[in-house]
Amino acid sequence: MTWVTTVDRSTTRARISLTLVFFLHATVFASWTPHIGDLRRRLGISEAELGVALMGEPLGSFALMLLAGAIIVRLGSGRVLRWSLRAFAVTTVMIGLSGSLLSLFLLLALWGGVLGTLNIAMNTQAVTVEKKHRQPIMSSFHAAWSLGAFAGSALGSLGNSTSLPLVLQLAITAILALAVIESVNRWFLPQADEEAPTAPRFARPTRPLLVLSLIAICGLFSEGAAVAWSSVYFRDVLAVGPGLVGLGYGAYSLSMFIGRVVGDRIVRFFGPVVTIRTLTGLACGGFTMALLSRDLVVATLGFALLGLGLACVMPLVIRAAGALSDVSTPAAVAAVSTSGWFGVVLGPPLIGIVASALSLTTALALVVVLTGVVFSLAPAVRSAHR
């Protein structure tokens, strides 16, 4: 397949600025997670109460994701991106000021709403930049997010180990990230490069959009399950020591990052359908091998293949949604992102329920089944080539 490689300066600048947005968004997002345990102890709440408080973030995201698509149609992704990034910095710092279970829940719900809006604006702008770029670059943005998550987790762990107060760490991280983004946000592509403000603001449930949404649910269900349960699987099923329980997640995350770094090049050579089917086929085989084996090396390799197999699913789903001709890009991106988020939220607790009734190995077999569904529905992402 032949791709146009001549890119104008404004598109190149937009790509640079958006890559920074993806990286810094993940850095700030991930930097607070190592502090969750300490925050629970500071507030004097139980683990069950913490679980209730943490539900505020996905609930807030759900509440605003679909509405965000309509707002972006009206105002443009660049403008919404600028203001949601500023709101993200402010609400992130506010989390560190939580003084009770109720305030933590409410602040996380507010933060989640901003995150949902930011997610749709980022990915809508990414679709627009890719269309102007005229070649696959969507996976590179998500690779930047994965790298930022590594950086944020490391920063949070460092802050936690040095007893740096959560609010101070979040303030430093958010302010520095916002300062960098403010210096380049004028490079975001304008609304003139997107649909007209009169385009439909909500997505009709057409068959192509429903299939893409189902792929998003299955893919992110598998991602969420792997992230939440990998260490438990290594500890309880493989019976490894404390120093090795994170090996599965580490292998999964690293291979996902590598898959996203090279994903665009693979798509250029083989197309999105072959890419999805090859990678998800590897994921199904590798993760099945991990579940059937009790060997540490085999299990680690299986989790690595799962990360590689899922690496390009959401980037290709978002690009395909943005290429649909019967719905506006922001509305389509909002629909598949909201569906995917549902998979992230549903995955970990459902795995836990099945594990309690049967076994964790049996429960994680759901990941193989749903990754297989993504394999079978792969032709739906062909619209990304239009």
Side-chain angles (χ1 to χ4, degrees), residues 66-145:
L66 290 176
L67 182 60
I71 296 171
I72 293 167
V73 171
R74 179 69 181 85
L75 300 177
S77 64
R79 187 184 303 178
V80 175
L81 190 51
R82 289 185 189 94
W83 284 105
S84 58
L85 283 166
R86 292 161 186 161
F88 175 58
V90 173
T91 53
T92 297
V93 177
M94 290 172 64
I95 293 173
L97 300 174
S98 302
S100 66
L101 173 63
L102 178 61
S103 66
L104 179 59
F105 175 84
L106 293 176
L107 287 172
L108 284 174
L110 177 62
W111 190 59
V114 173
L115 278 173
T117 304
L118 181 54
N119 179 286
I120 306 305
M122 287 164 53
N123 282 293
T124 300
Q125 179 78 184
V127 169
T128 305
V129 172
E130 187 179 61
K131 287 178 179 178
K132 293 270 288 181
H133 209 278
R134 299 183 184 178
Q135 60 179 325
I137 59 171
M138 183 65 72
S139 288
S140 68
F141 294 125
H142 289 254
W145 198 96

Side-chain angles (χ1 to χ4, degrees), residues 2 33 35-36 58 63 75 89 108 151 184 211 221 251 262 266 286 315 318 345 347 362 376:
T2 301
T33 54
H35 292 268
I36 291 176
L75 300 177
L108 284 174
V184 297
V211 174
F221 179 105
V262 302
I266 297 174
I318 290 169
V345 174
T362 303
S376 66

Side-chain angles (χ1 to χ4, degrees), residues 13-367:
R13 283 183 167 184
R15 182 181 182 182
I16 292 170
S17 64
L18 194 58
T19 299
L20 284 171
V21 167
F22 271 81
F23 174 80
L24 292 171
H25 166 263
T27 301
V28 176
F29 176 84
S31 68
W32 96 282
T33 54
H35 292 268
I36 291 176
D38 286 341
L39 182 60
R40 179 185 72 82
R41 287 186 288 272
R42 178 168 68 80
L43 296 180
I45 59 179
S46 67
E47 292 181 347
E49 289 173 324
L50 176 64
V52 172
L54 293 177
M55 282 300 296
E57 187 257 317
L59 290 175
S61 293
F62 277 130
L64 282 187
M65 270 186 165
L66 290 176
L67 182 60
I71 296 171
I72 293 167
V73 171
R74 179 69 181 85
L75 300 177
S77 64
R79 187 184 303 178
V80 175
L81 190 51
R82 289 185 189 94
W83 284 105
S84 58
L85 283 166
R86 292 161 186 161
F88 175 58
V90 173
T91 53
T92 297
V93 177
M94 290 172 64
I95 293 173
L97 300 174
S98 302
S100 66
L101 173 63
L102 178 61
S103 66
L104 179 59
F105 175 84
L106 293 176
L107 287 172
L108 284 174
L110 177 62
W111 190 59
V114 173
L115 278 173
T117 304
L118 181 54
N119 179 286
I120 306 305
M122 287 164 53
N123 282 293
T124 300
Q125 179 78 184
V127 169
T128 305
V129 172
E130 187 179 61
K131 287 178 179 178
K132 293 270 288 181
H133 209 278
R134 299 183 184 178
Q135 60 179 325
I137 59 171
M138 183 65 72
S139 288
S140 68
F141 294 125
H142 289 254
W145 198 96
S146 295
L147 184 60
F150 280 122
S153 180
L155 285 173
S157 297
L158 178 63
N160 199 24
S161 65
T162 57
S163 300
L164 185 68
L166 175 59
V167 66
L168 182 57
Q169 181 203 285
L170 293 179
I172 293 171
T173 307
I175 291 171
L176 290 176
L178 186 61
V180 173
I181 292 171
E182 286 289 326
S183 69
V184 297
N185 67 16
R186 65 185 183 280
W187 293 348
F188 297 157
L189 292 180
Q191 188 176 11
D193 291 318
E194 300 174 347
E195 286 94 348
T198 55
R201 299 184 184 181
F202 294 97
R204 293 184 299 106
T206 61
R207 185 179 183 280
L209 187 59
L210 288 173
V211 174
L212 290 173
S213 296
L214 179 57
I215 294 175
I217 291 173
C218 294
L220 289 185
F221 179 105
S222 298
E223 285 193 35
V227 170
W229 288 97
S230 60
S231 61
V232 179
Y233 181 80
F234 272 65
R235 183 191 64 207
D236 295 348
V237 178
L238 300 183
V240 302
L244 296 175
V245 294
L247 199 57
Y249 176 66
Y252 167 88
S253 300
L254 179 61
S255 63
M256 174 167 280
F257 170 67
I258 293 172
R260 286 175 170 175
V261 168
V262 302
D264 293 322
R265 296 173 187 173
I266 297 174
V267 173
R268 288 172 203 163
F269 281 105
F270 300 106
V273 177
V274 173
T275 298
I276 288 252
R277 284 201 157 158
T278 301
L279 293 180
T280 54
L282 286 172
C284 287
F287 202 60
T288 298
M289 179 177 64
L291 296 178
L292 293 176
S293 173
R294 291 294 183 268
D295 181 78
L296 176 62
V297 175
V298 174
T300 302
L301 178 60
F303 272 86
L305 288 174
L306 180 65
L308 180 66
L310 296 175
C312 295
V313 172
M314 279 309 295
L316 289 176
V317 165
I318 290 169
R319 182 200 298 158
L324 295 175
S325 58
D326 54 354
V327 62
S328 68
T329 294
V333 170
V336 298
S337 297
T338 305
S339 300
W341 199 241
F342 178 74
V344 171
V345 174
L346 178 65
L350 185 57
I351 293 295
I353 292 170
V354 177
S356 297
L358 300 173
S359 70
L360 181 55
T361 301
T362 303
L364 287 174
L366 285 173
V367 171

